[in-house]
């Protein structure tokens, strides 16, 4: 029994726009997309891989014989990020954000997407900002989690650390907290 090939509805420019858009998403939203699409574990690179590499792996799988198709990826991405513009429409202006790096003790290989999401949820709770996002993971002297958020929310996290009230998050020791340069 043969199956009919899936009909691709995206033009080459729309495909380019899709990978560019997904490559700009915070790591936490790429993780949500992976979970929602039930991407097989072996498909995705490690959590320390740049978001662009993760987006490319996800789209290669989605567009391949075992994936759901790019149209499904677009629909799920728009459900995760309601403000995500439809392909081919102009980008809306974004609020001003800054980046803060929280460096945890440990090896980056030990960080799973599940643990990262739990840490993100805890940091959101501590800051009072449900819109903080993880942009990337850095592996220089520990596990550097780069957060993107409003200056007020991230200033609050830095102040907590400087006041000695942020020694650990979910049992993982915090080595440093600083704004990204």
């Amino acid at each position: 029994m043969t199956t009919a090939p899936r009909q691709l509805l995206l033009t080459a420019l729309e495909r380019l726009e899709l990978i560019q858009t997904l490559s700009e998403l915070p790591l936490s939203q790429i993780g949500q997309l992976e979970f929602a699409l039930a991407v097989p574990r072996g498909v995705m690179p490690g959590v320390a891989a740049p978001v662009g590499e993760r987006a490319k792996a996800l789209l290669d799988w989605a567009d391949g014989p075992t994936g759901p198709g790019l149209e499904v990826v677009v629909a799920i991405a728009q459900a995760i990020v309601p403000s995500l513009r439809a392909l081919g429409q102009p980008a809306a202006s974004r609020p001003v954000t800054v980046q803060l790096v929280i460096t945890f003790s440990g090896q980056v290989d030990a960080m799973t997407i599940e643990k990262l999401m739990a840490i993100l949820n805890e940091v959101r709770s501590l800051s009072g900002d449900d819109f903080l996002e993880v942009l990337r993971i850095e592996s220089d002297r520990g596990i550097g989690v780069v957060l993107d958020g409003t200056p007020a929310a991230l200033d609050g996290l830095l102040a907590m650390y400087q006041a000695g009230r942020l020694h650990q998050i979910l049992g993982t020791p915090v080595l440093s907290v600083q704004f990204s340069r």
Side-chain angles (χ1 to χ4, degrees):
M1 177 177 177
T2 62
T3 59
R6 184 175 33 230
Q7 184 177 12
L8 294 177
L9 302 176
L10 301 178
T11 68
L13 287 176
E14 288 172 329
R15 291 167 63 91
L16 175 61
E17 189 174 357
L18 177 60
I19 193 166
Q20 288 173 335
T21 299
L22 294 184
S23 295
E24 292 172 359
L25 289 178
L27 183 59
S28 58
Q29 289 179 332
I30 286 289
Q32 291 172 10
L33 189 58
E34 293 170 24
F35 179 79
L37 292 168
V39 179
R41 291 196 188 272
V43 169
M44 300 303 294
V47 72
V51 173
E53 284 182 32
R54 298 183 73 77
K56 173 76 167 72
L58 185 144
L59 291 173
D60 282 345
W61 166 77
D63 198 31
T66 62
L70 298 179
E71 300 79 14
V72 173
V73 173
V74 170
I76 298 295
Q78 288 173 334
I80 292 171
V81 187
S83 62
L84 189 69
R85 63 191 168 93
L87 293 175
Q89 295 184 1
S93 61
R94 295 182 58 191
V96 174
T97 61
V98 293
Q99 296 175 10
L100 184 79
V101 182
I102 300 177
T103 304
F104 295 94
S105 176
Q107 297 294 318
V108 74
D109 294 343
M111 181 65 71
T112 64
I113 196 74
E114 292 83 8
K115 180 161 183 146
L116 182 64
M117 293 304 294
I119 287 173
L120 175 61
N121 287 333
E122 182 66 16
V123 169
R124 284 175 173 168
S125 176
L126 290 170
S127 70
D129 185 347
D130 291 337
F131 298 102
L132 289 180
E133 294 294 345
V134 174
L135 288 181
R136 64 185 176 279
I137 304 295
E138 299 174 340
S139 59
D140 186 34
R141 289 182 269 161
I143 305 167
V145 177
V146 182
L147 298 171
D148 184 64
T150 62
L154 297 180
D155 279 338
L157 289 171
L158 180 59
M160 288 174 71
Y161 177 75
Q162 291 172 336
R165 296 187 327 227
L166 194 62
H167 302 305
Q168 65 175 340
I169 297 176
L170 298 179
T172 305
V174 174
L175 299 177
S176 67
V177 176
Q178 63 189 22
F179 281 98
S180 180
R181 296 174 197 159

